[in-house]
């Protein structure tokens, strides 16, 4: 009996487990089936956003609405103001950093006795292919320093055009020539010119004729020469006075007063050198340079020696840029002219420009250009060649400088008559050279 019951109980227990397993399997199958149906019917889920919202991207107007809801217009204005203030302050700080860096550079360079100043042009370059290598032609200008002469700085801001102007020094000894000088400038319509009045008479003349002028503060060393000095003595002053113009960052076309202006010279400059000057030469060879062969028969086979020749630059008309070599040139010339031994400023000017470095001497590293001798014409070219040539007489010079002749005023007036008033025989009465 006991065995029978045990078997029967076991049979019922196995049957119950089997029935419950079938129900669980059925429930799982039904769940999977419902899941498949829901996934097919609702691919984006039960709680996905509406199609119109889901598919539409936020527009600029939505962003602007959101922005306006978050920030008021007053707060936006305050933020803009803060940004502008910070930007301005940043620019000011950058300028201060540049100024301090430049002062530090100059101070460090000034430690040596020669106070050499170098210009760093950037990374070391590699040489390009044959025929493509070109050296730096135009040096950068100096950092302007208005503290040198604040009064002159304010005047130059009004007179100069694109940071350049014509400058002439004059005292009452040259008043008549000065009148022809500034009248020709006005006739051409050149606005950027300035007379450095060396005495009260010239200051009054300029003021009464609406001529821009500048009278320096009293300087005993300069005034004694300026008021009573000869033309050569006054010419020596210009190198000292001119330095301030360059320190203030201005390019200057330095002009003597024995010059007639027929065109605007600023339209004919190249501005690729430290100094551009008219020449005292009278043809292509003498003005621009040539190979001159020196013959010394005593040397036999080596009797012929080649030399390079060029006629001097005229220190009464040159364009000078505010660069370190230019300022060094002015310093060198002014220092030599201040020595007790008399020296001619034009000779010293050319020696400093052209003499190379050699034992006991360091040459000036300045770039120079000779101006076109028919545009920037000296009086030897005019009276010896141009007036006698039918084709050359048709040319219109930029300026004529009466530098080769002592009878300056009548020749200046004749130049005006010939080129401005069209009087064809105005130049004829004068000899080629000078009659002592």
């Amino acid at each position: 009996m006991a065995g029978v019951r045990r078997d029967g109980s076991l049979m019922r227990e196995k049957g119950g487990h089997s029935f419950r397993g079938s129900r669980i399997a059925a429930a799982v199958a039904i769940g999977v089936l419902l899941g498949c149906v829901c996934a097919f019917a609702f691919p984006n889920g039960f709680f996905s956003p509406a199609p119109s919202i889901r598919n539409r991207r936020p527009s600029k107007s939505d962003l602007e609405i959101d922005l306006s809801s978050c920030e008021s217009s007053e707060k936006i204005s305050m933020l803009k103001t803060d940004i502008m203030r910070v930007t301005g302050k940043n620019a000011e700080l950058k300028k201060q950093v540049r100024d301090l860096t430049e002062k530090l550079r100059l101070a460090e360079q000034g430690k040596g006795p020669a106070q050499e100043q170098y210009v760093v042009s950037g990374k070391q370059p590699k040489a390009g292919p044959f025929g493509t290598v070109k050296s730096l032609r135009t040096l950068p200008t100096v950092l302007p320093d208005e503290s040198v002469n604040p009064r002159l700085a304010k005047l130059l801001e009004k007179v100069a055009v694109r940071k350049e102007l014509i400058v002439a020094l004059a005292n009452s000894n040259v008043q008549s020539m000065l009148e022809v000088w500034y009248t020709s400038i006005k006739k051409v319509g050149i606005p950027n010119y300035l007379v450095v009045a060396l005495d009260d008479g010239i200051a009054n003349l300029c003021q009464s004729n609406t001529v821009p002028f500048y009278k320096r503060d009293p300087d005993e060393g300069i005034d004694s020469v300026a008021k009573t000095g000869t033309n050569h003595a006054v010419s020596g002053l210009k190198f000292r006075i001119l330095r301030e113009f360059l320190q203030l960052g201005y390019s200057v076309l330095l002009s003597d007063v024995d010059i007639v202006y027929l065109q605007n010279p600023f339209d004919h400059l190249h501005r690729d050198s430290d100094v551009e000057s008219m020449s005292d030469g009278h043809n292509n060879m003498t003005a621009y340079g040539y190979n001159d062969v020196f013959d010394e028969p005593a040397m036999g086979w080596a009797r012929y020696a080649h030399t390079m020749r060029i006629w001097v630059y005229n220190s009464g008309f040159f364009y000078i840029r505010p660069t370190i070599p230019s300022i060094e040139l002015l310093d060198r010339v002014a220092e030599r002219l201040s020595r007790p031994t008399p020296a001619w400023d034009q000779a010293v000017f050319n020696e400093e420009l052209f003499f190379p470095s050699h034992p006991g001497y360091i040459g000036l590293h300045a770039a120079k250009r000779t101006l076109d001798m028919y545009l920037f014409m000296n009086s030897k070219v005019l009276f010896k060649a141009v007036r006698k040539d039918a084709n050359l007489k048709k040319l219109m010079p930029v300026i004529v400088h009466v530098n080769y002749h002592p009878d300056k005023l009548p020749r200046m007036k004749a130049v005006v008559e010939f080129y401005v008033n069209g009087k064809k025989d105005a130049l004829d009465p004068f000899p080629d050279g000078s009659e002592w």
Side-chain angles (χ1 to χ4, degrees):
M1 292 294 292
V4 174
R5 285 198 301 271
R6 215 172 18 249
D7 292 342
S9 297
L10 289 171
M11 288 295 296
R12 286 195 299 271
E13 185 176 347
K14 289 180 179 179
H17 280 294
S18 175
F19 178 72
R20 285 197 300 271
S22 298
R23 285 190 296 176
I24 291 172
V28 170
I30 293 172
V32 171
L33 180 63
L34 289 175
C36 292
V37 173
C38 291
F40 180 80
F42 303 100
N44 295 314
F46 290 98
F47 303 101
S48 61
S52 60
I53 298 175
R54 182 177 66 247
N55 296 330
R56 184 169 64 88
R57 293 181 178 179
S59 66
K60 184 179 179 181
S61 60
D62 292 331
L63 294 175
E64 291 175 349
I65 292 172
D66 292 339
L67 180 61
S68 63
S69 65
C70 298
E71 301 287 350
S72 66
S73 59
E74 182 179 356
K75 189 171 183 180
I76 293 173
S77 299
M78 291 175 62
L79 290 173
K80 288 181 178 179
T81 302
D82 290 341
I83 291 172
M84 292 176 64
R85 185 173 63 253
V86 171
T87 303
K89 185 66 175 177
N90 186 45
E92 182 181 348
L93 291 173
K94 285 183 178 179
K95 183 179 183 301
Q96 290 178 4
V97 169
R98 288 197 302 268
D99 293 348
L100 292 172
T101 302
E102 181 65 16
K103 289 180 180 178
L104 177 61
R105 184 179 68 85
L106 295 177
E108 290 177 346
Q109 291 170 355
K111 292 178 182 178
Q115 295 189 8
E116 298 174 350
Q117 300 188 23
Y118 303 94
V119 178
V120 180
S121 59
K123 297 180 179 179
Q124 273 188 299
K126 290 183 178 179
F130 179 82
T132 66
V133 178
K134 300 293 181 184
S135 62
L136 182 66
R137 294 296 194 271
T138 307
L139 293 175
T141 56
V142 298
L143 186 70
D145 184 4
E146 293 188 2
S147 66
V148 170
N149 192 330
R151 185 165 68 89
L152 179 59
K154 290 181 180 179
L155 176 60
L156 294 181
E157 287 181 4
K158 300 177 182 178
V159 175
V161 176
R162 292 188 292 274
K163 302 285 284 187
E164 55 187 12
L165 73 161
I166 300 170
V167 175
L169 280 67
N171 61 16
S172 295
N173 293 336
V174 296
Q175 177 173 326
S176 298
M177 287 189 291
L178 179 65
E179 291 175 342
V180 178
W181 181 86
Y182 67 65
T183 300
S184 69
I185 287 178
K186 289 183 176 182
K187 182 74 175 178
V188 174
I190 303 170
N192 48 330
Y193 69 101
L194 182 72
V195 174
V196 178
L198 299 177
D199 57 37
D200 293 334
I202 293 299
N204 295 334
L205 174 71
C206 292
Q207 191 168 20
S208 59
N209 289 278
T210 321
V211 173
F213 74 96
Y214 165 68
K215 195 167 186 304
R216 290 174 51 86
D217 294 330
D219 186 319
E220 184 178 352
I222 292 179
D223 293 345
S224 60
V225 177
K227 294 178 180 179
T228 60
T230 62
N231 285 346
H232 283 312
V234 171
S235 294
L237 290 179
K238 62 193 175 191
F239 297 97
R240 292 176 59 185
I241 295 175
L242 191 56
R243 191 187 205 276
E244 292 184 350
F245 288 78
L246 269 59
Q247 284 182 278
L248 294 172
Y250 289 85
S251 298
V252 174
L253 186 56
L254 195 284
S255 172
D256 281 352
V257 297
D258 56 344
I259 293 176
V260 176
Y261 287 77
L262 302 167
Q263 298 187 62
N264 191 329
F266 294 108
D267 296 336
H268 300 273
L269 297 174
H270 293 264
R271 300 173 179 85
D272 63 348
S273 304
D274 299 297
V275 177
E276 297 181 55
S277 178
M278 70 173 297
S279 172
D280 272 1
H282 58 91
N283 55 28
N284 285 343
M285 289 177 58
T286 57
Y288 309 135
Y290 63 103
N291 183 357
D292 185 32
V293 180
F294 176 77
D295 183 11
E296 189 177 5
M299 288 298 296
W301 175 82
R303 64 183 291 179
Y304 300 109
H306 290 257
T307 68
M308 298 306 301
R309 300 286 296 277
I310 187 171
W311 287 32
V312 296
Y313 283 175
N314 192 288
S315 63
F317 187 91
F318 60 88
Y319 177 80
I320 186 165
R321 297 176 60 248
T323 63
I324 292 298
S326 296
I327 295 174
E328 184 182 0
L329 170 65
L330 298 181
D331 289 349
R332 288 184 176 214
V333 175
E335 190 276 328
R336 286 184 57 184
L337 293 176
S338 67
R339 297 174 186 173
T341 305
W344 183 26
D345 69 284
Q346 181 158 294
V348 175
F349 177 71
N350 280 271
E351 288 171 2
E352 293 298 337
L353 265 178
F354 286 97
F355 280 174
S357 298
H358 56 263
Y361 177 79
I362 302 299
L364 180 73
H365 295 265
K368 44 197 172 288
R369 168 182 281 273
T370 307
L371 294 170
D372 188 311
M373 68 174 182
Y374 289 117
L375 293 179
F376 299 89
M377 191 182 297
N378 63 56
S379 57
K380 182 175 182 177
V381 172
L382 175 62
F383 287 99
K384 191 176 180 181
V386 171
R387 67 170 175 168
K388 301 176 183 179
D389 188 293
N391 290 323
L392 293 178
K393 286 174 71 173
K394 297 176 184 178
L395 298 175
M396 176 59 73
V398 175
I399 61 127
V400 173
H401 188 180
V402 187
N403 61 315
Y404 267 100
H405 301 88
D407 50 340
K408 297 180 181 297
L409 185 59
R411 289 187 188 247
M412 289 177 71
K413 292 180 177 179
V415 169
V416 173
E417 288 295 323
F418 181 79
Y419 284 109
V420 179
N421 300 328
K423 188 177 179 181
K424 299 186 181 300
D425 61 348
L427 302 176
D428 296 345
F430 299 92
D432 289 357
S434 303
E435 294 180 347
W436 295 97

